[in-house]
Structure formats: C-alpha cells, structure tokens
Amino acid sequence: MSEASGTPLLISLAGAVAPHALPIFLLALLTAVVAGGAACVGLQRRRAAMTADAAPQPRRLLPSLALGFVAVIAAAAVFAWIAERATPTRTLGRADQVLADGIAATLPWAALRAFSLLTHVGDPAVLIALGVGVTVALLWRRHTGLALGWMLALGGNAVLNPMLKRLFARARPLHEHGLAVEGGYSFPSGHSSGAMVAYGMALYLALRLLPPRWHAPAVMAAIAVILTTACSRIFLQVHFASDVAAGLLSGGTWLAVCIASLTWAQGRTWARPAT
C-alpha cells in the first residue's frame, strides 16, 4: 500500500484512538503485566535444571546467534522505517500530531498530574542513582562480572540515545499544561530507552540472583515500570508516539545485546576446565 493511500487510515486511527488513549493504555498495561507473569510461571515449570558446569552447545549456539543477528537487523530496519516517516509531512508524522492533539484535548487533568509524577522514574538523575546503587550492591556481593555488565549497559545507552537524537534532530511536540518541561530533540525518547535498558537489566539481575518465587513479580513489575514510563511521555505530550516506539526499540535492542553478551561470557567461563 502506498503512503498516499495509507494516509487517511493511519490518521483516522490516531484520531479515533486519542479520546480513548487512557483506558486503552490501562487495558494494555494490565494485559502485558498479567501475560508476563503467567509466561514466567509457565517457563519456570518447563525449564530444565541447569548445572554450573554446562558449556554452550554448538548445535544450539549457532541457530541462536543467527536468530539474534536477524532480530538486530529487523530492529534496525523498523527503526529506520520510523525515522524516515516521522516527519511533519509524512503519514506517520501527521498521525503523531493528530494523536498528540487529541490527547491534549481529552486527557483528564488528574491523569495528566499522575503521569507527570510517574514519568520521573525514567529521569536521568533517577537512573544514575539506580545505576550507582545497584553497582555498589553487586560489588559488595562480589558479582564483579554482573556489575561490569550493568554499568556498560546503562552507560552504553546514555551514549547511544543522545547520538541518535542529534542525528535525527526532531523537534518536540508543543503543549501548554506546564507539568513537564523538556529541552533538546525528541527522537528517539530517552526516557523510553533508558527505562527499557535500566529496568530490563534490573529484571535480568533479579532473575539471576533472586529465588524463583520472586521471578514472576519481578517480571510484572519491570513490564509495568517500562510501559508506564514510556507511555507517560506521550500523555505528557513531550514526545510523539513514534519517538517512544523508537526509544523502546533502540533500548530493547541494546538490552538484548548486553544480556546476550553476559550470557555468552558466562557460558565461556563455565566451559573453562578446572585447574
């Protein structure tokens, strides 16, 4: 379908969704949280016990690496597609603006105030404090490798997102509520990518270090925090929806690379012969 033929549908959809954005978000959030918790419980029941001396098996490793490579390429392609079309004159950019205008006109003030508080979970200062605190705790428990992986994950995203913002230099949407003031460029959302990496890595650490009974609650909490932080940027009209989608995508890709790297390093360590 060409962009010209697809324009009315996408913009009409954005206009139809905007007045109902809050209940749609709440329903989607509840569904994602419950589904994540249920999936975690199901995987726990089916997962075979792993031993600490188990080495990576080539017949499983190679397909996994191939799948990961394809996933990274696909994520890059989707990111490029969003970036190319998120301009004021293209379909996606026009739909972004319609959605932002509709939310501004219909979102209750109480919900706007709530999102203005919830969004701080993704503030750089909060993520820095979280990064330092988790690093200290990991080093205290002598999890040096995990501490290094945690620092590199957060630090890498802190470098990547500003680079992408300067590359695309998209202006932020305008708003008049005064509850959130942001400077700099809009694409991709730093709060969205930061929340994805920080709380996604925190979930990885929780699954590694906490007893199994805490895994499902950790998954549900991470999903809730990441989605709420990301969507708060749309409701506060400091980011367009495509900014948030791109932020989650870039953050999620970097998160996957970091977790895969840690898992690979752990596997290589396991495979070393005893001395």
Side-chain angles (χ1 to χ4, degrees):
M1 180 179 292
S2 66
E3 183 172 338
S5 62
T7 297
L9 176 60
L10 186 57
I11 294 177
S12 297
L13 180 62
V17 166
H20 312 289
L22 182 59
I24 290 173
F25 161 72
L26 294 175
L27 178 61
L29 178 65
L30 178 62
T31 302
V33 168
V34 172
C40 181
V41 172
L43 288 173
Q44 282 182 329
R45 292 177 177 177
R46 297 180 59 183
R47 183 178 58 189
M50 294 181 62
T51 58
D53 57 351
Q57 301 181 22
R59 64 184 179 86
R60 295 183 179 180
L61 177 61
L62 294 178
S64 297
L65 290 175
L67 181 60
F69 181 82
V70 172
V72 170
I73 296 299
V78 174
F79 186 93
W81 184 91
I82 295 173
E84 181 184 1
R85 289 161 176 79
T87 60
T89 59
R90 300 294 296 271
T91 301
L92 185 58
R94 293 167 61 191
D96 271 340
Q97 190 62 61
V98 168
L99 181 62
D101 292 343
I103 288 176
T106 59
L107 188 67
W109 180 256
L112 198 61
R113 287 283 299 175
F115 282 118
S116 72
L117 298 175
L118 293 171
T119 199
H120 291 304
V121 177
D123 284 355
V126 173
L127 297 185
I128 290 173
L130 175 67
V132 172
V134 171
T135 300
V136 170
L138 289 173
L139 292 176
W140 180 264
R141 297 289 301 274
R142 298 183 180 179
H143 296 301
T144 307
L146 292 178
L148 178 60
W150 165 261
M151 290 187 293
L152 291 176
L154 270 63
N157 186 70
V159 173
L160 176 63
N161 186 260
M163 290 175 59
L164 293 173
K165 283 181 181 290
R166 288 192 294 269
L167 178 63
F168 295 103
R170 187 186 193 187
R172 291 181 181 269
L174 301 177
H175 62 82
E176 299 178 351
H177 54 70
L179 293 177
V181 179
E182 296 287 351
Y185 296 122
S186 189
F187 183 93
S189 166
H191 275 65
S192 301
S193 64
M196 175 64 80
V197 172
Y199 298 108
M201 277 297 297
L203 173 60
Y204 170 76
L205 294 176
L207 296 178
R208 284 286 307 273
L209 302 175
L210 294 181
R213 66 178 180 274
W214 291 105
H215 290 183
V219 169
M220 298 170 74
I223 292 174
V225 171
I226 292 170
L227 291 183
T228 300
T229 303
C231 290
S232 71
R233 312 306 287 172
I234 302 173
F235 286 111
L236 291 170
Q237 301 128 58
V238 293
H239 280 292
F240 293 110
S242 59
D243 299 334
V244 168
L248 290 174
L249 187 59
S250 64
T253 303
W254 176 242
L255 173 65
V257 169
C258 293
I259 291 177
S261 299
L262 281 169
T263 303
W264 169 251
Q266 181 187 30
R268 292 296 295 272
T269 300
W270 288 348
R272 290 175 184 170
T275 56

